[in-house]
Amino acid sequence: QSVLTQPPSASGTPGQRVTISCSGSSSNIGSNTVNWYQQLPGTAPKLLIYSGNQRPSGVPDRFSGSKSGTSASLAISGLQSEDEADYYCAAWDDSLNGQVFGGGTKLTVL
Amino acid sequence: EMQLLESGGGLVQPGGSLRLSCAASRFTFSSYAMSWVRQAPGKGLEWVSGISDSGGNTYYADSVKGRFTITRDNSKNTLYLQMNSLRAEDTAVYHCTKGWGRYPYGVFDVWGQGTMVTVSS
């Protein structure tokens, strides 16, 4: 059971916009920044979004993040086949004194 | 390009020990916090442990506290994870990750490919 809650799966067709939610609590998302990671099949995770809505260089602006209270969301617009991957949210948890991850969402491009 | 290369994984019996290493290159290792994140086969990511830039502060997930020890040698640009009293549930790929600041509170911006640890009799 992960501290942060994500839907196990999401899907969309090419060109569509999809969102992935991440629910936490006051000790993690409610008081710290949320980061998102993308894991393509057979590869190591990669930083996708940091500090809630910032993109590292090289990440397309099709990817965006937001946060409200104790929840966060990752949005992917103009869905492409290469976006098919597992997506994880993460944040520092002040009560646990450690990083916590969501269980991951497997995105399928139909 | 910044790189992290893990080593030391393998097959170990329950109750045994293993030490993982992570060699860092192409960035100033001593300026950044580091962490270990693991992924059990077919499962999600789990943060295991983190260490501050100087090594003076260490952090552990409850699942490994008292069994695992994270250390670093800034003169060798190397991160370590000493794993004792290993259990079947510790079986996973262990990734070394780089933080953005002095403490492992935030982002993991560089990931190693990982080293596989299998705990089985």
Side-chain angles (χ1 to χ4, degrees):
Chain A
Q1 193 82 352
S2 301
V3 174
L4 304 182
T5 301
Q6 297 179 237
S9 63
S11 63
T13 56
Q16 265 192 333
R17 182 178 188 270
V18 297
T19 62
I20 296 172
S21 62
C22 175
S23 177
S25 66
S26 58
S27 63
N28 42 65
I29 294 178
S31 52
N32 295 296
T33 59
V34 179
N35 306 303
W36 290 89
Y37 301 89
Q38 176 192 58
Q39 187 174 31
L40 297 169
T43 69
K46 163 192 154 184
L47 177 63
L48 190 67
I49 296 286
Y50 65 94
S51 297
N53 58 6
Q54 303 298 304
R55 291 184 308 278
S57 61
V59 174
D61 59 5
R62 301 186 295 104
F63 294 90
S64 62
S66 63
K67 182 177 108 169
S68 178
T70 59
S71 293
S73 291
L74 172 70
I76 309 171
S77 59
L79 199 61
Q80 298 181 4
S81 58
E82 55 259 41
D83 298 333
E84 196 160 275
D86 293 324
Y87 293 85
Y88 296 89
C89 58
W92 183 264
D93 190 296
D94 292 333
S95 295
L96 296 175
N97 208 29
Q99 287 271 355
V100 291
F101 282 93
T105 299
K106 184 176 184 61
L107 175 64
T108 301
V109 181
L110 302 170
Chain B
E1 183 182 341
M2 295 178 280
Q3 286 192 334
L4 299 170
L5 184 62
E6 303 93 338
S7 61
L11 174 64
V12 61
Q13 292 189 338
S17 297
L18 213 54
R19 188 176 86 152
L20 306 183
S21 298
C22 170
S25 58
R26 300 179 188 151
F27 66 94
T28 306
F29 181 72
S30 59
S31 295
Y32 299 98
M34 299 292 293
S35 291
W36 290 96
V37 175
R38 68 185 180 185
Q39 186 168 31
K43 302 296 184 182
L45 302 174
E46 179 189 16
W47 174 82
V48 173
S49 180
I51 188 168
S52 62
D53 57 349
S54 67
N57 296 84
T58 57
Y59 309 82
Y60 298 94
D62 287 344
S63 57
V64 306
K65 203 170 291 183
R67 300 187 299 123
F68 290 12
T69 302
I70 189 171
T71 57
R72 64 191 296 163
D73 186 336
N74 286 345
S75 69
K76 295 182 178 179
N77 291 344
T78 303
L79 175 73
Y80 303 99
L81 185 68
Q82 177 67 43
M83 303 186 296
N84 298 331
S85 303
L86 282 161
R87 307 166 180 167
E89 53 264 36
D90 295 318
T91 294
V93 173
Y94 284 73
H95 294 280
C96 170
T97 68
K98 169 188 169 291
W100 257 2
R102 299 181 57 207
Y103 298 94
Y105 301 150
V107 169
F108 304 131
D109 66 336
V110 182
W111 294 68
Q113 285 303 308
T115 185
M116 182 71 203
V117 172
T118 303
V119 184
S120 175
S121 55

